[in-house]
Amino acid sequence: MTEISSDNTSVKVTRRPVSNNNNTGSNESGNRFVISKCRRDANDNINQETSDDTEHEERLLSVYCRSGKLGAAHYTLQTGELYVLEEIMDRPPEFQMFLNLFRQVEPAKILLEGKSQSTFVQTVKTTVFDCDASGQGTCKLILLSAREYSFEACKRRIHSLSLPNEPPNCTEDERKLYIRTVVDFSHVQSVHALGALLRYLDLNWSSLAMELHSKPQFLSLRKISLADIVTIDEDTYRGLQIFSAVSHPSNFKKGVQGSNKEGLSLLHVFSKCSSKVGQSRMRIFLQHPTKDMSVLKLRQDVVAFFMRPQNECTMKNICSSLRFIKNVNGILTKMKALSAKSYQWKSLYNTLYNAVLICEICENAGNASEFLQQLASCDNNKLYEMALYMNRIIDFDLSKSEGKFTVKAGVDPDLDIKKQTMASLHGLMSETAKVEMERLPMFIEECTMLYMPHLGYLLGVKAWSDDLTMDQKQLPNMKFMFQNNDYIHYKSKGCEELDVMIGDTYPEIVAHETRIMMRLTNIVLENLSTLADVIDKCAELDCLISISKVCKELNFVRPTLTDEKIISIKQGRHPLHVLNCENFVPNDAESNQEAGYVKILTGPNSSGKSVYMKQIALIVYLAHIGSFVPAETATVGTVDRLYSRLHSAECVAAHMSAFLVDLRQMALALQESTSNSLIIIDEFGKGTSEVDGLALLAACLNTFLFQGESCPHVFLSTHFLNIKDYIVKTPIVKFLSFEHVLQDGEPVFLFRIREGGSSSSFALQVAAASGIQQRVIDRATVVLASLTNNSLPPEDKKITAKLRAFTEIIKNDLLTNV
């Protein structure tokens, strides 16, 4: 009988016939033997592929801040991607640029110098701890010594960096020259951050990657910039529902990184990407609104192209190819370490093949979009050559069944000869086993011929008796090797002949295929930069196609972008409310020199003030990511900051009440806003006494109004109806309210904006409509009238009678006890 596994090959021959109904054969002497094969289950590869594809990427972020300048670098453990931030101004105490970078990177660990500026260290600590408390995922803060950030040491470490796309066979000076084209050493803070990150990886790689005999792999080094970003704070992102993370309902998984689910938000609406790289890019896409006019118009052209009905077929073809596009850096890292699985080679091939298809489809798109032209003009000949090499060399079907890199027949003649020898091995072993069976003593009923790597071919004999001594185990013309359980293994004459004639065929085949795999890997790594650029553009294309689908479905229109200080929206709608409301009432919004830059909204509760202000902010935000907007027409001047006072939930972890959160948000808007900023303020001052709240609101408004023409765009809602008596008289202020009619004494809101303030908040009518008992409403009416007349309200006789009755009962009890 023959047993074949991944470790050895064996053939068993018996003197007596072996009863077996499967895979039987006979020889001339009448002896029968069975050959059975054991292969890996293909489902294992499928499970491995699923687990690897869903593997969470762990990033390390190194930051360094000095003299108001921020430098940073981050590294992804699973993919080997290394990014360095162009040095940028970041003012204390808010450090908005660091917060923007933190949200985009979502690091697992932050490296920070222990002797950094105290305000910056405090900001980093607050960000890390707030993130952990809110269930957004865990992040570890690692404080390094100052010597790890030594400029000369960091500079030397960066110069020794080895990258796959550096010139081949370059000298040390040539490598330094190449590194200087990638890293600007005049950006001192960025050099500190990048060097400290590289040094930390060198010292801690074994614990980070759980591998003792390896070193960090760097497949790319790219620059990232925040110079063009529209600054938005975390409270504004949450208040506008751009992101809305919902914690896992299970207490066991709550707070675990990656366990949150996205609720109703813009990210949820735009999550229609076809590829995983597109889904990952969409979050970064939304976290990096840009004020770069050329980039925005480039994106708008792509969205407009795919919204046209005649391009529906082109979009479907691109989406069908985008499904196979993956971030191959993680795969290439494993290929470079010779640990890539067969399905990962298949994923790389599918990515190359479909990337070439997408480039060819974009060539046929014409001159409709400059972005599509850039994708079509990529050097896809190199990608095609790599895909062609892989298709001609790799036998993907056989690789999947055998679970290893397998080369096709006809690629290498020497390898083919070895495989043919291996294929004929089973027959030779069977014939040798039959010959050896004739040489063995008659008391041995069966023998097994097996092959073991590095030991060669062995003859296995089942022990013919228990407790055999070493002398008894010796057989004529046989060399005893070892005993395993009931089988004793010998090196016979036939085994020695097979060793000489065939040798270690299987290890030679594996080594030969490994050499071919290494040559193929080198070819792929030589063209890594081209492949990375194409995948990066495909990810952005996937995001833009997803946005175009939403814009087409919800009838969004293309906004007009300008450098002028203007916001003009006709019949604007809230992009999230229109999904849940069939009869949404659109409204106009104007903010310019003629219409004024400050709009003060007054009116009853539930009349639509908050939704109106949020829809203005979201329309401006959508215009700054290159999307179309929900309106009939819109002209949006680029803004550099978008702040709000919307979300005022209490934060126990940060030891702040709702009013303190309001003050923090307003302070950020006052300190950081510029003439080209947009500020949304919803009922500031309601968290404290009416007098104090009114005074604070008036002071904050006057701070904006004193700036005159340099005042930012401000939309403010309030229930302080007398606010106009406490602010300066200036034409840049306009009062607005929402239309309503009274029906049976109750207000009916029409949700239409109109000029002019409101004379009442209709609080009592809204309370009655909300289910408050009528007797409570009546009493509130009496108290309100007394307050208006500056007098005490009359007593409630019913309550007074109850109090007197209870007082008498208490008196009687006391007298009885005495």
Side-chain angles (χ1 to χ4, degrees):
M1 181 175 61
T2 304
E3 297 177 355
I4 303 171
S5 66
S6 60
D7 297 327
N8 57 68
T9 302
S10 62
V11 176
K12 179 188 290 184
V13 176
T14 60
R15 295 187 186 276
R16 299 173 183 175
V18 177
S19 177
N20 195 318
N21 295 327
N22 297 324
N23 300 326
T24 60
S26 61
N27 53 25
E28 294 179 358
S29 62
N31 291 335
R32 305 175 64 189
F33 57 90
V34 179
I35 299 177
S36 61
K37 293 184 179 181
C38 178
R39 293 182 177 178
R40 292 185 180 90
D41 189 358
N43 293 328
D44 292 342
N45 290 336
I46 298 175
N47 295 333
Q48 291 176 356
E49 182 174 4
T50 303
S51 62
D52 281 10
D53 288 343
T54 58
E55 187 177 17
H56 183 77
E57 293 184 350
E58 185 178 357
R59 300 182 182 90
L60 274 68
L61 174 63
S62 172
V63 290
Y64 190 82
C65 188
R66 279 287 188 275
S67 304
K69 295 181 179 180
L70 175 68
H74 69 88
Y75 175 77
T76 306
L77 292 178
Q78 286 74 22
T79 63
E81 295 172 294
L82 185 63
Y83 293 88
V84 57
L85 174 71
E86 293 182 352
E87 190 175 276
I88 191 170
M89 296 297 298
D90 200 10
R91 295 188 299 175
E94 289 78 17
F95 296 103
Q96 287 295 308
M97 290 303 167
F98 164 73
L99 297 177
N100 287 326
L101 180 66
F102 179 83
R103 285 192 294 269
Q104 290 188 35
V105 176
E106 295 182 346
K109 295 180 181 179
I110 294 182
L111 308 181
L112 180 67
E113 184 193 358
K115 293 184 179 180
S116 296
Q117 299 177 11
S118 59
T119 53
F120 181 69
V121 172
Q122 187 61 37
T123 300
V124 175
K125 289 181 178 179
T126 303
T127 304
V128 171
F129 297 150
D130 284 352
C131 173
D132 188 36
S134 62
Q136 298 296 321
T138 57
C139 178
K140 294 182 180 179
L141 180 60
I142 302 174
L143 298 178
L144 303 178
S145 63
R147 63 181 181 182
E148 295 294 333
Y149 285 86
S150 170
F151 182 78
E152 291 300 326
C154 293
K155 187 177 177 181
R156 287 194 300 270
R157 180 60 186 90
I158 296 173
H159 277 152
S160 64
L161 186 63
S162 178
L163 298 173
N165 52 355
E166 66 186 15
N169 302 321
C170 61
T171 63
E172 191 68 23
D173 293 336
E174 290 173 343
R175 176 186 284 108
K176 289 182 179 180
L177 184 62
Y178 171 74
I179 292 295
R180 287 184 177 274
T181 63
V182 182
V183 181
D184 189 350
F185 285 88
S186 64
H187 292 178
V188 178
Q189 321 307 336
S190 298
V191 173
H192 280 295
L194 178 58
L197 176 62
L198 296 176
R199 288 162 60 87
Y200 178 82
L201 290 172
D202 292 339
L203 295 174
N204 300 275
W205 182 252
S206 59
S207 60
L208 292 172
M210 302 303 291
E211 295 179 3
L212 294 177
H213 305 290
S214 64
K215 59 181 180 178
Q217 300 288 336
F218 303 103
L219 289 186
S220 64
L221 175 58
R222 297 185 184 181
K223 293 181 181 179
I224 55 176
S225 175
L226 297 178
D228 64 327
I229 193 171
V230 177
T231 303
I232 304 177
D233 63 298
E234 183 66 28
D235 293 324
T236 301
Y237 273 120
R238 188 163 49 247
L240 295 178
Q241 288 183 269
I242 298 174
F243 303 104
S244 179
V246 179
S247 299
H248 198 281
S250 171
N251 288 330
F252 181 74
K253 293 186 177 180
K254 187 177 295 184
V256 177
Q257 194 168 15
S259 64
N260 292 343
K261 185 177 72 171
E262 192 67 24
L264 180 61
S265 62
L266 280 184
L267 177 61
H268 177 74
V269 173
F270 284 135
S271 293
K272 297 181 180 294
C273 297
S274 302
S275 64
K276 291 186 180 294
V277 291
Q279 293 174 8
S280 301
R281 175 62 66 85
M282 181 59 76
R283 179 175 288 274
I284 300 176
F285 205 84
L286 297 180
Q287 288 173 338
H288 195 132
T290 177
K291 54 192 175 187
D292 191 329
M293 194 76 70
S294 59
V295 173
L296 292 175
K297 290 184 177 179
L298 204 70
R299 295 176 180 177
Q300 286 183 344
D301 291 340
V302 178
V303 174
F305 176 82
F306 289 108
M307 285 181 66
R308 300 187 189 112
Q310 60 268 31
N311 298 324
E312 182 77 18
C313 183
T314 301
M315 182 182 70
K316 289 182 178 179
N317 291 334
I318 293 178
C319 289
S320 62
S321 294
L322 283 172
R323 292 188 300 111
F324 298 96
I325 301 295
K326 295 185 178 181
N327 186 359
V328 298
N329 283 328
I331 299 175
L332 292 175
T333 301
K334 294 183 178 180
M335 289 180 180
K336 196 173 181 181
L338 303 180
S339 61
K341 303 294 190 298
S342 57
Y343 68 84
Q344 291 172 329
W345 281 98
K346 182 69 173 179
S347 297
L348 177 60
Y349 171 75
N350 288 335
T351 299
L352 289 169
Y353 178 78
N354 287 278
V356 173
L357 283 182
I358 292 172
C359 293
E360 292 178 350
I361 294 173
C362 291
E363 289 180 2
N364 300 326
N367 300 323
S369 169
E370 184 181 348
F371 180 84
L372 297 180
Q373 290 180 6
Q374 293 176 2
L375 196 54
S377 61
C378 290
D379 191 4
N380 57 355
N381 289 329
K382 293 182 179 179
L383 303 182
Y384 179 76
E385 290 176 2
M386 286 190 289
L388 189 62
Y389 286 148
M390 294 178 65
N391 187 42
R392 289 181 175 178
I393 293 174
I394 305 174
D395 191 331
F396 291 108
D397 294 334
L398 198 56
S399 296
K400 181 178 180 181
S401 61
E402 294 189 0
K404 68 177 185 66
F405 183 92
T406 306
V407 179
K408 282 184 176 180
V411 174
D412 190 312
D414 295 337
L415 180 61
D416 292 342
I417 293 174
K418 294 177 182 178
K419 288 188 175 183
Q420 290 174 3
T421 304
M422 188 68 185
S424 62
L425 176 62
H426 309 305
L428 290 174
M429 291 175 65
S430 299
E431 294 298 327
T432 304
K434 287 185 287 184
V435 172
E436 295 294 343
M437 189 74 248
E438 299 296 330
R439 297 175 180 173
L440 291 171
M442 295 302 295
F443 57 82
I444 296 177
E445 296 294 333
E446 64 181 26
C447 69
T448 302
M449 179 68 68
L450 73 157
Y451 166 77
M452 299 183 68
H454 308 297
L455 290 180
Y457 298 89
L458 300 174
L459 183 66
V461 176
K462 189 174 182 179
W464 51 91
S465 178
D466 297 334
D467 301 328
L468 292 173
T469 64
M470 183 56 67
D471 293 334
Q472 292 173 338
K473 292 178 183 178
Q474 300 296 331
L475 294 178
N477 300 322
M478 299 281 181
K479 180 182 178 182
F480 174 82
M481 299 298 292
F482 62 89
Q483 181 174 356
N484 183 21
N485 295 329
D486 293 338
Y487 269 82
I488 307 172
H489 296 85
Y490 299 90
K491 178 72 73 170
S492 65
K493 185 178 179 180
C495 295
E496 293 175 352
E497 291 175 353
L498 288 177
D499 289 339
V500 175
M501 183 172 58
I502 300 177
D504 291 333
T505 306
Y506 184 77
E508 290 177 1
I509 292 174
V510 173
H512 202 133
E513 290 182 329
T514 301
R515 289 192 294 270
I516 295 175
M517 181 181 68
M518 292 175 64
R519 290 197 295 268
L520 185 58
T521 302
N522 291 332
I523 294 174
V524 175
L525 292 176
E526 288 175 0
N527 302 292
L528 179 60
S529 58
T530 302
L531 179 58
D533 291 340
V534 172
I535 292 177
D536 188 67
K537 289 186 179 298
C538 287
E540 186 172 355
L541 178 62
D542 200 1
C543 294
L544 294 175
I545 290 177
S546 176
I547 292 175
S548 69
K549 293 177 182 178
V550 177
C551 294
K552 185 176 182 180
E553 180 182 351
L554 301 180
N555 296 320
F556 288 4
V557 299
R558 180 170 185 166
T560 301
L561 299 175
T562 177
D563 291 327
E564 299 178 4
K565 186 179 177 181
I566 181 176
I567 296 176
S568 178
I569 301 171
K570 301 297 183 184
Q571 298 296 291
R573 307 185 304 277
H574 194 291
L576 297 180
H577 273 264
V578 295
L579 299 175
N580 303 318
C581 182
E582 296 180 357
N583 300 318
F584 189 86
V585 179
N587 279 294
D588 299 344
E590 296 286 340
S591 181
N592 50 52
Q593 188 174 6
E594 296 179 358
Y597 297 121
V598 178
K599 302 294 188 297
I600 300 178
L601 284 74
T602 57
N605 288 308
S606 304
S607 61
K609 301 188 297 298
S610 299
V611 174
Y612 174 72
M613 292 190 300
K614 288 180 180 180
Q615 82 180 30
I616 294 172
L618 284 172
I619 288 174
V620 172
Y621 169 80
L622 288 173
H624 283 80
I625 65 171
S627 172
F628 287 13
V629 299
E632 286 188 0
T633 60
T635 301
V636 179
T638 54
V639 299
D640 56 359
R641 290 169 174 83
L642 200 164
Y643 296 125
S644 70
R645 208 298 325 145
L646 293 170
H647 188 78
S648 60
E650 297 183 9
C651 182
V652 178
H655 305 288
M656 289 191 295
S657 65
F659 183 59
L660 284 179
V661 174
D662 293 353
L663 292 176
R664 186 188 67 177
Q665 294 170 350
M666 180 60 80
L668 181 63
L670 288 171
Q671 295 171 5
E672 296 294 323
S673 62
T674 66
S675 177
N676 291 322
S677 300
L678 172 61
I679 301 174
I680 306 297
I681 304 173
D682 188 14
E683 298 185 21
F684 174 74
K686 65 180 180 180
T688 186
S689 66
E690 180 180 358
V691 177
D692 294 340
L694 177 59
L696 283 171
L697 177 60
C700 294
L701 264 177
N702 285 328
T703 302
F704 290 126
L705 296 177
F706 286 149
Q707 300 178 25
E709 297 298 326
S710 299
C711 177
H713 302 284
V714 179
F715 288 85
L716 179 146
S717 70
T718 181
H719 286 290
F720 298 131
L721 303 182
N722 56 342
I723 184 65
K724 57 181 153 183
D725 298 332
Y726 301 95
I727 60 175
V728 296
K729 304 299 186 290
T730 172
I732 66 174
V733 178
K734 300 294 181 183
F735 284 86
L736 303 175
S737 62
F738 280 84
E739 297 180 3
H740 64 275
V741 295
L742 293 176
Q743 185 175 359
D744 298 330
E746 295 183 0
V748 177
F749 305 120
L750 304 180
F751 304 107
R752 293 196 187 97
I753 199 75
R754 64 176 178 86
E755 293 187 1
S758 177
S759 58
S760 174
S761 63
F762 296 98
L764 300 180
Q765 291 83 350
V766 173
S770 301
I772 301 296
Q773 295 179 359
Q774 185 59 41
R775 62 181 181 83
V776 178
I777 301 297
D778 295 339
R779 179 61 181 173
T781 304
V782 174
V783 174
L784 178 61
S786 301
L787 293 175
T788 304
N789 298 327
N790 197 21
S791 61
L792 293 175
E795 65 177 0
D796 190 328
K797 295 181 179 180
K798 187 175 182 181
I799 295 177
T800 305
K802 287 185 177 181
L803 289 175
R804 289 173 180 171
F806 282 116
T807 303
E808 291 297 328
I809 293 173
I810 294 172
K811 285 181 178 180
N812 294 333
D813 289 343
L814 290 174
L815 292 173
T816 303
N817 293 332
V818 171

